[in-house]
């Protein structure tokens, strides 16, 4: 940028700083700012458009356009050039605005006189706030230096908006972080919770976006970057000799921390008048904007690294660490972009609910949340930028809805729902010890899923008859290094002790796909759900499989032991795994260890291919558990993490129930015990239909046992099976409507 423009840019930021210090009202301050920008940029027009809601922009101030258009001119996201800037977060710079793609003429503004148009987004850390526009009569494209200067000003405006500098009348000028918001995401763990926000990573607030002394700011930036680099070097030194993957991540960190381009851009921002903090945040905002448009997983990870480094640098510059001195509220709802299982376990049961901006229904965090029975909603856009520590918040894990700073009427309705759920739980407690026998005399076994010691007390409180699935991978996921065999022995022994003689099905290590061990080299795969995971990893890493089998055998201490292999796609995989079990048993016998009283070896049927295995496989296996979550996504070719498709396909689809029926028949021929494990087992309507198809053991989260048992006790499976058969005969796609009608008619 030319020296003259640098001087003008710095002058403009200086005048903006004076406006920040003034006591002018929001509208008056906006009006002054548009005048300052137009004057400095030597343009006839400067306009500020702000969002009044997620989809609508409003002209909030202008210099040069018709004054009566202020707060009257509105446009939808993507509409006109201004809407285009807002939608894509990109600069629009044209010498002939009326001829530009997407131009929309707004007669009430009088803009037809102006040919040149430059619009830049006003955004902060990925949060879109509005659009800043300058226009002139001369038909010219604005220079790169002018574009850059306007982007710097837009960034300062975003900081000013964050600090409440533009509060006034109307939706577009309403104060940030005060309005009631309804945010939608995806349900990952059922339940409802009311509480107050606790941010896992409190926001860094930049209170001085404009520099008084650029030389001093450069010194502060250089000192902070040096501290950052030393910290990264220390992390690298500690990790030397450790896992290669961890070292690669830290090497990428160091590469970014030493990036000359990163430093140069921040130094240029400071030269134009930004403070060190604002310069870092400007780079961070641009990285997040790029990250939102990148689909390549590797590039997204690298941009996430840069985002994390920026956070670390901001905390060094501002002194605002994660520990901000505030006390966690007594009813905390954790809010985070994402969180690992280790961090979540540290919070433990103190949390009332969890809301994640990212995450997934199959993530480590979701697994832990289910184990702790904490309502969880994922994919809640903007939650980390909208929420502040202490905000009142309602979490509906059943519907995937979050109410932030809710109005009284919403709170009242939500509390009524929670009271009804609590009343229902009391009713379920009264049938806890009642055997699950349907009205036509069929005995159904209801067992629970678990993965943590914290789950085991639910064996008594829920009425579960055993553990149908104990996820052993959680003990591997929450560590930074492979657990020792002795540690696993102690863990599995405590599980069996807590079960007090009830059957526990230990699923061997189910990693890969979305469950990546931090200390095992990650294999980049185009479709991880169909890739190197579960038993495939176990058969390729037999040392790990043997260690886990040894730990299970020793933990049994002569008691019955039940082992299940996950994601078996063909009979030969099961046979190889069973051979490893028998080989391990022989070795333990030679070493003089006590062998299990009985040993059951089963397989989890999660791929349609296994349903069509030779009958000999069903003769060989001791039991089969249908893994409903994966089986359904592969059967329908619908990714269960993809909200666009996963809800299209119903468990009560006639085709899927026909597959379940075939599996029941094949297990019946071999007299092989069969169970169903997954989210659908814990949904009363689905559980009823699965039982009607012949499944006699259902494995679910502990909280679902009461509702499922309550419905089964009141139902006749023969009648339900006839309804399913009739719906199939009529050619209906799903039996759900017919089943719901039957239940309504029978109370």
């Amino acid at each position: 940028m030319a020296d003259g423009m640098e001087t003008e840019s710095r002058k403009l930021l200086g005048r903006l700083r004076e406006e920040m210090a003034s006591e002018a009202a929001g509208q008056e301050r906006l009006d002054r700012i548009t005048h300052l920008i137009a004057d400095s940029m030597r343009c006839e027009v400067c306009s500020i458009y702000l969002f009044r809601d997620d989809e609508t922009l409003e002209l909030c101030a202008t210099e040069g356009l018709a004054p009566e258009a202020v707060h009257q001119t509105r446009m939808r996201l993507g509409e006109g050039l201004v809407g285009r800037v807002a939608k894509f977060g990109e600069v629009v710079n044209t010498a002939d605005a009326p001829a530009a793609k997407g131009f929309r003429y707004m007669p009430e503004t009088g803009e037809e006189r102006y040919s040149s148009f430059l619009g830049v987004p006003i955004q902060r850390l990925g949060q879109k706030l509005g659009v800043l526009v300058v226009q002139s009569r001369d038909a010219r494209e604005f220079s790169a230096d002018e574009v850059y200067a306007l982007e710097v000003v837009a960034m300062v405006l975003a900081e000013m908006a964050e600090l409440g500098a533009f509060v006034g009348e109307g939706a577009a000028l309403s104060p940030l972080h005060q309005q009631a918001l309804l945010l939608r995401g995806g349900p990952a763990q059922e339940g409802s919770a009311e509480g107050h926000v606790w941010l896992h990573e409190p926001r860094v607030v930049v209170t001085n976006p404009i520099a008084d002394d650029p030389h001093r700011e450069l010194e502060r930036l250089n000192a902070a970057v040096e501290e950052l680099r030393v910290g990264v070097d220390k992390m690298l030194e500690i990790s030397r000799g450790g896992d290669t993957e961890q070292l690669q991540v830290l090497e990428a960190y160091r590469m970014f921390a030493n990036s000359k381009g990163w430093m140069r851009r921040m130094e240029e921002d400071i030269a134009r008048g930004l403070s060190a903090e604002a310069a870092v945040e400007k780079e961070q905002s641009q990285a997040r904007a790029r990250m939102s448009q990148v689909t390549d997983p590797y590039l997204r990870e690298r941009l996430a690294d840069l985002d994390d480094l920026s956070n670390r640098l901001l905390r060094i510059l501002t002194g605002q660490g994660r520990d901000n001195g505030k006390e966690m509220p007594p009813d905390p709802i954790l809010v985070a972009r994402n969180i690992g299982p280790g961090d979540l376990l540290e919070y433990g049961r103190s949390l009332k609910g969890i809301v994640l901006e990212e995450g997934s229904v199959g993530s480590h965090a979701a697994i832990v949340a289910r184990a702790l029975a904490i309502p969880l909603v994922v994919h809640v856009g903007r939650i980390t930028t909208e929420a502040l520590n202490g905000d009142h918040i309602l979490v509906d894990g059943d519907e995937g809805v979050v109410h932030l700073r809710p109005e009284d009427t919403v709170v009242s309705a939500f509390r009524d729902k929670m009271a009804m759920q609590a009343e229902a739980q009391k009713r379920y407690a009264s049938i806890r010890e009642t055997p699950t026998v349907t009205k036509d005399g069929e005995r159904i076994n209801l067992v629970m899923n678990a993965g943590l010691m914290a789950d085991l007390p639910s064996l008594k409180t829920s009425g579960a008859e055993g553990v149908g699935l104990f996820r052993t991978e959680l003990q591997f996921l929450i560590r930074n290094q492979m657990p020792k065999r002795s540690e696993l022995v102690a863990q599995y022994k405590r599980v069996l002790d807590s079960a007090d003689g009830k059957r526990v099905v230990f699923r061997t290590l189910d990693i890969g796909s979305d469950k990546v061990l931090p200390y095992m080299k990650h294999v980049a795969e185009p479709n991880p759900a169909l890739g190197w995971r579960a038993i495939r990893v176990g058969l390729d890493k037999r040392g790990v499989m043997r260690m886990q089998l040894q730990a299970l055998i020793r933990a049994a201490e002569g008691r019955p032991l039940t082992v299940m292999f996950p994601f078996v796609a063909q009979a030969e995989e099961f046979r190889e795994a069973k051979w490893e079990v028998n080989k391990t048993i022989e070795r333990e016998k030679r070493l003089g260890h006590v062998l299990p009283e009985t040993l059951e070896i089963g397989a989890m049927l999660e791929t349609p291919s296994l349903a069509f295995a030779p009958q000999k496989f069903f003769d060989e296996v001791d039991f089969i558990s249908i893994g409903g979550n994966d089986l359904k996504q592969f059967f329908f070719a619908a990714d269960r993490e993809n909200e666009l498709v996963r809800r299209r396909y119903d468990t009560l689809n006639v085709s899927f129930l026909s597959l379940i029926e075939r599996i029941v028949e094949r297990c019946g021929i071999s007299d092989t015990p069969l169970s169903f494990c997954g989210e659908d087992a814990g949904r009363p309507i689905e559980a009823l239909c699965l039982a009607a198809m012949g499944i006699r053991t259902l494995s679910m989260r502990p909280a679902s046992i009461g509702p499922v048992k309550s419905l089964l006790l009141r139902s006749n499976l023969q009648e339900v099976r006839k309804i399913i058969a009739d719906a199939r005969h009529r050619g209906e796609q799903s039996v759900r409507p017919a089943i719901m009608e039957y239940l309504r008619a029978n109370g």
Side-chain angles (χ1 to χ4, degrees), residues 159-418:
E159 291 296 336
M160 293 174 72
E162 174 73 15
L163 296 169
F166 307 134
V167 174
E169 294 183 9
L173 297 186
S174 59
L176 297 177
H177 313 302
Q178 291 185 28
Q179 313 98 305
L181 288 177
L182 168 63
L183 300 170
R184 297 188 182 277
Q189 167 59 21
E190 299 166 350
S192 302
E194 177 181 3
H196 291 84
V197 169
W198 181 253
L199 292 168
H200 179 57
E201 288 191 329
R203 310 168 56 142
V204 174
V205 180
V206 176
T207 57
N208 59 328
I210 302 169
D212 291 318
D213 181 352
H215 296 292
R216 170 62 182 145
E217 295 304 306
L218 283 172
E219 290 174 359
R220 291 180 63 237
L221 177 67
N222 286 323
V225 168
E226 182 58 31
E227 185 177 335
L228 177 71
R229 289 170 177 165
V230 169
V232 172
D233 287 343
K234 283 182 179 177
M235 285 191 288
L236 262 169
E237 192 60 39
I238 292 170
S239 299
R240 292 290 180 202
D243 180 72
T244 305
E245 185 75 9
Q246 278 184 295
L247 287 173
Q248 288 175 346
V249 171
L250 289 172
E251 288 288 1
Y253 259 42
R254 183 161 71 175
M255 178 188 74
F256 279 126
N258 289 278
S259 167
K260 292 181 179 178
W262 188 45
M263 278 298 295
R264 185 188 69 251
R265 290 191 298 273
M266 291 188 292
E267 288 168 350
E268 287 176 353
D269 290 331
I270 289 173
R272 288 169 170 83
L274 290 184
S275 66
E277 293 92 330
V280 173
E281 194 168 270
K282 181 172 179 290
E283 279 298 300
Q284 186 180 22
S285 288
Q286 291 179 342
R288 285 199 184 176
R290 291 195 298 273
M291 191 158 44
S292 67
Q293 298 173 19
V294 169
T295 55
D296 181 80
Y298 178 80
L299 289 178
R300 281 185 64 85
E301 284 180 18
R302 297 291 72 81
L303 286 168
D305 290 342
L306 182 56
D307 187 56
D308 186 60
L309 273 180
S310 298
N311 266 332
R312 291 170 183 264
L313 190 54
L314 279 171
R315 295 188 191 286
I316 292 170
L317 283 164
T318 63
Q320 297 174 33
R322 288 188 181 181
D323 182 5
N324 56 9
K326 293 186 177 180
E327 288 188 13
M328 184 185 291
D331 52 358
I333 304 287
L334 185 73
V335 171
R337 291 185 67 200
N338 215 334
I339 189 169
D343 284 340
L344 193 49
L345 282 169
E346 284 186 20
Y347 285 107
R349 294 186 185 274
S350 64
L351 299 176
K352 300 298 181 185
I354 307 165
V355 183
L356 299 180
E357 195 161 299
E358 299 173 359
S360 66
V361 295
S363 66
H364 312 154
I367 293 169
V368 174
R370 289 187 198 115
L372 299 176
I374 300 171
L376 167 64
V377 181
V378 298
H379 297 309
V380 183
R382 303 183 3 242
I383 186 65
T384 56
T385 53
E386 293 284 0
L388 296 178
N389 269 333
D391 277 345
H392 190 195
I393 186 171
L394 310 175
V395 179
D396 188 335
D398 303 318
E399 301 296 329
V401 170
V402 176
H403 299 275
L404 186 62
R405 299 179 289 269
E407 296 174 350
D408 291 344
T409 53
V410 174
V411 174
S412 178
F414 193 85
R415 286 175 179 168
D416 287 345
K417 177 182 178 179
M418 291 180 67

Side-chain angles (χ1 to χ4, degrees), residues 188 190 361 370 629 640 646 676-683 699:
E190 299 166 350
V361 295
R370 289 187 198 115
N629 296 343
R640 64 191 175 109
R646 79 182 187 97
F676 187 101
C677 173
E679 293 174 9
D680 290 319
R683 294 177 174 136
S699 188

